[in-house]
């Protein structure tokens, strides 16, 4: 019903900045909380950040506070994740997701993108 496609990932060096993008198609007339999650090889998919339906309220996992910024453009059906001061521990596949209720649990997000890989080298 809702298709999400991420882009912007790649191979970067520690300290670099990258902005990930997510574009939604399909039933984009509905209002969703949008979230970013990430998954490192062999690990669980973890919550990174979310933004409210209006774009006013944001939530971040402690490890990215002050470095990452989530934003959205309702008119373009897009969500962004600006990542500054990247660290090797940020290396993961990043996914955007849509939810009616939000939260930090991936189970609350029924729609997911295919992911975009970010590799941060030392």
């Amino acid at each position: 019903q809702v298709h999400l496609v991420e882009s912007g990932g790649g191979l970067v060096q520690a300290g670099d900045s990258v902005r990930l993008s997510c574009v939604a198609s399909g039933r984009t007339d509905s209002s969703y909380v949008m979230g970013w999650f990430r998954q490192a090889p062999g690990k669980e998919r973890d919550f990174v950040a979310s933004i409210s339906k209006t774009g006013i309220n944001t939530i971040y996992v402690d490890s990215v506070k002050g470095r990452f910024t989530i934003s959205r453009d309702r008119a373009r059906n897009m969500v962004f994740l600006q990542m500054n001061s990247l660290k090797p521990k940020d290396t993961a596949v990043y996914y955007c997701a849509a939810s009616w209720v939000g939260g930090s649990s991936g189970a609350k997000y029924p729609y997911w993108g295919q992911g975009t890989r970010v590799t941060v080298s030392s």
Side-chain angles (χ1 to χ4, degrees):
Q1 189 174 32
V2 176
H3 295 279
L4 305 172
V5 180
E6 306 94 333
S7 62
L11 176 62
V12 299
Q13 293 183 321
D16 283 355
S17 295
V18 172
R19 186 168 79 156
L20 305 182
S21 299
C22 174
V23 61
S25 62
R27 190 185 172 184
T28 56
D29 58 326
S30 298
S31 184
Y32 299 101
V33 176
M34 299 300 298
W36 285 96
F37 293 75
R38 64 186 180 185
Q39 185 172 28
K43 295 187 177 181
E44 297 281 342
R45 187 174 299 179
D46 293 326
F47 171 82
V48 177
S50 66
I51 186 166
S52 64
K53 298 175 181 181
T54 63
I56 296 175
N57 299 312
T58 58
I59 301 173
Y60 300 91
V61 68
D62 287 345
S63 60
V64 308
K65 288 180 179 177
R67 298 190 298 123
F68 291 10
T69 302
I70 186 172
S71 61
R72 70 190 301 167
D73 186 333
R74 293 288 294 157
R76 299 180 184 179
N77 298 316
M78 295 188 71
V79 180
F80 307 94
L81 185 66
Q82 178 67 45
M83 305 187 293
N84 298 329
S85 301
L86 283 165
K87 305 174 181 180
K89 69 178 182 179
D90 296 317
T91 295
V93 176
Y94 285 73
Y95 300 87
C96 68
S99 172
W100 288 284
V101 296
S104 60
S105 173
K108 299 293 185 179
Y109 294 76
Y111 305 110
W112 294 82
Q114 85 291 342
T116 184
R117 187 171 187 84
V118 176
T119 302
V120 185
S121 65
S122 302

